[in-house]
Amino acid sequence: MAINFNIYSPSNASTKTVVVDFVADYLASNSGVSASTKYFFKFTTSARKTDNSRYDVRIVEALDDLVLDKGVKKQRITNTAAAYTDIKSMIMDYIYDYVQGHDAGEYGTTVTEQLPMKFN
Amino acid sequence: MAQIRIYNQETNTYLSIDFNLQQAISDTTTTGDLDCYLIISTNVPTVTGGTFPRFKVRTLSDVPTGYVAPAANFDQLCQWYYEYITVESQITLSSSSSSSEQYSSSSSSSSECYSSSSSSSSSSSEGYSSSSSSSSSSSEGYSSSSSSSSEGYSSSSSSEEYSSESEGNISSSSTDQI
């Protein structure tokens, strides 16, 4: 059963939703399709970034799949490289990153910018 | 929700193992923090005809009894629960043979089961293992998400709903059973 996390912006009086589900699917990538089903968390949202672009769907297969994983692996909230301690902290970190975004190089030189969520 | 469906060809019935993401404010904390966790439930009967408990999984260390924590990822964790439940229930014992027969078995005397995995309970798997998303279309084939073989199942027990107060056995002390 998917969980909907609603994020409310008081200044804009609007709410955006991030949907988190735990699914079993085949995983496809440029290198092919997995030979069997994989179990993973799946983050989706119809919200937009402040430049009006869409968010990519994000998947999490383990608790060491940190939200910042391009070159440097870091948790967004704590700026640490440790694995998440539990499912809750993983979900909260991913949603925080959706909402707040992050600057280029904020956690390491290879980290690319992600704009915050657009509420207006 | 992710779901493994186990088909009993002999009785034309399905058993299932569900992996459900849930959230709640735990009554065991004083902070009132929201918690998120997986609830693993199944209608597979135990060997004595009872029901398995519902397993609450908060971390990759919440593994079934007999498995060494932590699991490498959620894929492995789910495989372990599948394996644990099917082995503990002895669902894999054939009515006609005690040997381990795989999907490809040519034996026609055993009652073979096929397992499927999907992320939607409404998917319509037809016997053989399949995996599908909520769209329910999908890829069917012999490959299974399970690591153990699905073999015959001689029991004709029905699909019972879970009793929430049953006891369970997970090795991790941090794991709650509901």
Side-chain angles (χ1 to χ4, degrees), chain B residues 28-119:
Chain B
T28 58
T29 67
T30 56
T31 58
D33 283 348
L34 182 71
D35 199 7
C36 301
Y37 46 84
L38 291 173
I39 292 293
I40 301 173
S41 58
T42 179
N43 58 10
V44 173
T46 62
V47 68
T48 58
T51 56
F52 283 94
R54 297 199 303 169
F55 302 104
K56 182 177 180 179
V57 172
R58 299 182 66 253
T59 77
L60 287 172
S61 294
D62 295 335
V63 300
T65 300
Y67 292 82
V68 179
N73 50 43
F74 289 102
D75 195 48
Q76 184 178 57
L77 187 72
C78 293
Q79 306 280 2
W80 284 357
Y81 273 99
Y82 169 81
E83 191 175 79
Y84 173 79
I85 289 169
T86 53
V87 169
E88 285 295 308
S89 65
Q90 297 185 13
I91 196 175
T92 55
L93 291 181
S94 168
S95 59
S96 59
S97 169
S98 60
S99 65
S100 299
E101 296 183 59
Q102 304 289 332
Y103 292 162
S104 58
S105 168
S106 59
S107 166
S108 58
S109 60
S110 65
S111 53
E112 295 175 88
C113 290
Y114 303 94
S115 68
S116 67
S117 175
S118 74
S119 54

Side-chain angles (χ1 to χ4, degrees), chain A residues 1-8 15-21 41-45 47 87-96 98-99 117 119, chain B residues 21-24 34-37:
Chain A
M1 187 187 317
I3 298 177
N4 288 0
F5 289 92
N6 294 327
I7 303 112
Y8 179 68
T15 301
K16 301 297 178 184
T17 303
V18 175
V19 181
V20 187
D21 200 1
F41 291 90
K42 185 176 181 181
F43 290 76
T44 54
T45 180
I87 293 170
K88 172 202 165 185
S89 61
M90 178 272 292
I91 289 176
M92 293 304 146
D93 204 43
Y94 271 76
I95 291 178
Y96 184 86
Y98 269 115
V99 177
M117 188 174 280
F119 284 93
Chain B
L21 178 61
Q22 296 186 7
Q23 62 174 339
L34 182 71
D35 199 7
C36 301
Y37 46 84

Side-chain angles (χ1 to χ4, degrees), chain A residues 39-81:
Chain A
Y39 293 82
F40 53 87
F41 291 90
K42 185 176 181 181
F43 290 76
T44 54
T45 180
S46 60
R48 301 290 185 101
K49 301 174 194 172
T50 50
D51 65 353
N52 221 33
S53 62
R54 293 182 182 278
Y55 287 95
D56 293 332
V57 173
R58 307 206 64 170
I59 65 170
V60 178
E61 296 182 74
L63 290 179
D64 59 0
D65 287 348
L66 307 184
V67 69
L68 300 172
D69 62 355
K70 298 285 175 56
V72 57
K73 295 186 71 168
K74 290 288 184 69
Q75 293 187 28
R76 171 63 176 87
I77 297 174
T78 62
N79 189 15
T80 62

Side-chain angles (χ1 to χ4, degrees), chain B residues 107-156:
Chain B
S107 166
S108 58
S109 60
S110 65
S111 53
E112 295 175 88
C113 290
Y114 303 94
S115 68
S116 67
S117 175
S118 74
S119 54
S120 167
S121 58
S122 63
S123 75
S124 56
S125 352
E126 314 218 342
Y128 299 98
S129 88
S130 69
S131 174
S132 67
S133 62
S134 55
S135 63
S136 91
S137 57
S138 253
S139 34
E140 294 187 18
Y142 281 87
S143 67
S144 166
S145 61
S146 62
S147 57
S148 64
S149 63
S150 296
E151 301 145 272
Y153 173 46
S154 60
S155 169
S156 60

